[in-house]
């Protein structure tokens, strides 16, 4: 069965709809190994909602949350990129471990690039693409990003969980 994903911007939801989606996000599960690479999904979304430079999204499939991600402006050097402002930073990206292996991560990464392009057009920021860092010990994540059109731009040693790969995709 072909899966589809939608990125729902949490900031655009009314209070009731946001509360429903945050409840679904609270039920997302990551494996203990994944916790090394990503944080608590609900906490990440609550933090993102409070920070002006972050745009939090719920990854939705078949009407339910299956993951989360955040696009952030002015923070690309956190992934090993040369400057902060020429690209969006994709961070806090995870798919519930029970939903992995279905291609949802790849679809969501592609959708995140489209969302970043729309944000750039709406806000006039001038970004040219999206950058992220993925842990070198996370080959499944690296493969999903490559399938989504991201190019490996080299090693980044600034990650808190060990060496990372900086990956980039232009709009």
């Amino acid at each position: 069965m072909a899966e589809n994903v939608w990125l729902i911007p949490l900031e655009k939801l009314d209070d009731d709809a946001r509360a429903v989606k945050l409840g679904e996000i609270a039920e997302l599960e990551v494996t203990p190994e994944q916790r090394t690479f990503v944080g608590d999904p609900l906490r990440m979304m609550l933090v993102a909602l409070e920070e002006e430079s972050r745009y939090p999204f719920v990854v939705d499939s078949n009407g339910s949350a299956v993951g989360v991600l955040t696009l952030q402006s002015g923070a690309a050097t956190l992934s090993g990129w040369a400057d902060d402002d020429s690209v969006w930073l994709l961070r806090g990206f995870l798919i519930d471990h029970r939903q992995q292996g279905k291609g949802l991560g790849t679809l969501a990464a592609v959708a995140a690039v489209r969302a970043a392009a729309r944000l750039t057009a709406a806000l006039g920021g001038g970004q040219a693409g999206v950058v992220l860092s993925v842990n070198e010990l996370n080959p499944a994540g690296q493969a999903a990003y490559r399938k989504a059109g991201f190019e490996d731009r080299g090693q980044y040693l600034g990650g808190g969980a060990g060496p990372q790969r900086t990956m980039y995709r232009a709009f």
Side-chain angles (χ1 to χ4, degrees):
M1 177 171 94
E3 299 282 344
N4 291 306
V5 299
W6 294 266
L7 297 188
I8 300 171
L10 286 174
E11 294 173 330
K12 302 286 185 188
L13 297 176
D14 66 35
D15 290 344
D16 290 337
R18 186 179 308 117
V20 168
K21 285 299 172 190
L22 288 172
E24 292 177 11
I25 290 167
E27 298 297 319
L28 296 177
E29 293 182 11
V30 296
T31 64
E33 298 81 28
Q34 288 175 292
R35 288 238 180 248
T36 303
F37 308 127
V38 298
D40 175 76
L42 179 60
R43 184 179 175 283
M44 288 188 303
M45 293 297 97
L46 293 174
V47 167
L49 283 166
E50 296 298 319
E51 195 167 322
E52 189 175 312
S53 67
R54 296 186 192 197
Y55 296 83
F57 295 86
V58 60
V59 179
D60 194 88
S61 181
N62 297 320
S64 297
V66 296
V68 295
L69 62 85
T70 298
L71 290 167
Q72 185 171 4
S73 64
T77 56
L78 294 174
S79 68
W81 198 249
D83 69 274
D84 277 329
D85 299 315
S86 64
V87 296
W88 288 90
L89 174 63
L90 175 58
R91 66 184 306 170
F93 182 25
L94 66 89
I95 300 294
D96 183 285
H97 83 92
R98 297 165 294 188
Q99 300 296 325
Q100 292 176 4
K102 300 177 181 180
L104 299 174
T106 297
L107 292 171
V110 170
V113 173
R114 286 194 307 265
R118 284 191 301 272
L119 283 168
T120 297
L123 302 173
Q127 293 91 345
V130 176
V131 69
L132 58 90
S133 64
V134 57
N135 196 284
E136 288 186 351
L137 298 177
N138 184 358
Q142 292 175 50
Y145 294 127
R146 279 193 301 277
K147 286 180 190 173
F150 283 80
E151 302 169 357
D152 189 323
R153 293 295 181 97
Q155 189 180 57
Y156 172 57
L157 297 176
Q164 309 280 313
R165 303 306 301 176
T166 298
M167 299 185 81
Y168 169 75
R169 178 169 168 186
F171 296 148

